[in-house]
Amino acid sequence: MTEKIEGGCLCGQVRYQANCIKPLFKVNCHCRDCQRLSGSPYVALVGVKETSFTVTGDVNCFEHQGGSGGAMKSYCCSKCNSRIYGTPEIAKGMVLIIAMSLDNPQSYSADADMFVKQAVSWDIMNNEIPKFDGSMFKRGG
């Protein structure tokens, strides 16, 4: 059975869908770049295969250095500037959906925390899920 993951931006101009058996992972990223981009202690991410992901509406892309040190492309709505998803150089073929852009963000439950060494001291993490000091991904895919 295929799960349909759907969401979009604040103004509704951008919509996305991913059809997959299940997400590749759900992770909270505590890297300093995600903190700055989101204005919060971490970003909740849903990983899906790029081949399962479709987007409609106009998006702007900006490239920056990700927490891994590799390039990260972030995609935002061209109208309301909501950050919706990204594609990391370190994990080619993967899309990282911003969980709070999901139509049903209540469906999100993290599998792990990554870049925990960069977490702010007042960030309270779930002790029952695995922790990674850096990225969960190995360079090159």
Side-chain angles (χ1 to χ4, degrees):
M1 187 166 160
T2 302
E3 180 179 343
K4 188 185 289 187
I5 299 169
E6 296 180 297
C9 67
L10 176 64
C11 74
Q13 187 239 162
V14 175
R15 297 289 303 156
Y16 64 79
Q17 181 176 305
N19 292 306
C20 50
I21 302 299
K22 68 177 192 167
L24 299 171
F25 57 83
K26 298 175 189 175
V27 63
N28 295 329
C29 182
H30 301 265
C31 82
R32 189 68 184 117
D33 298 298
C34 280
Q35 292 168 359
R36 286 185 175 121
L37 280 166
S38 68
S40 64
Y42 64 91
V43 173
L45 299 167
V46 179
V48 297
K49 288 184 180 179
E50 195 170 31
T51 56
S52 74
F53 185 78
T54 57
V55 64
T56 58
D58 293 325
V59 294
N60 291 328
C61 174
F62 67 96
E63 190 169 320
H64 55 96
Q65 184 174 334
S68 67
M72 174 72 162
K73 290 183 180 177
S74 289
Y75 296 85
C76 304
C77 171
S78 64
K79 184 176 177 185
C80 70
N81 210 33
S82 297
R83 188 165 165 238
I84 305 163
Y85 66 98
T87 54
E89 175 186 68
I90 197 169
K92 293 188 185 304
M94 185 181 304
V95 172
L96 302 176
I97 298 169
I98 308 298
M100 294 314 293
S101 72
L102 295 167
D103 287 345
N104 180 15
Q106 292 293 341
S107 66
Y108 178 85
S109 178
D111 298 326
D113 288 294
M114 66 182 189
F115 290 102
V116 297
K117 283 199 170 204
Q118 296 178 33
V120 292
S121 61
W122 46 266
D123 183 4
I124 301 169
M125 293 183 227
N126 179 348
N127 291 325
E128 296 180 17
I129 60 176
K131 308 286 181 257
F132 295 87
D133 287 342
S135 176
M136 293 173 28
F137 315 111
K138 302 293 180 212
R139 257 196 204 286

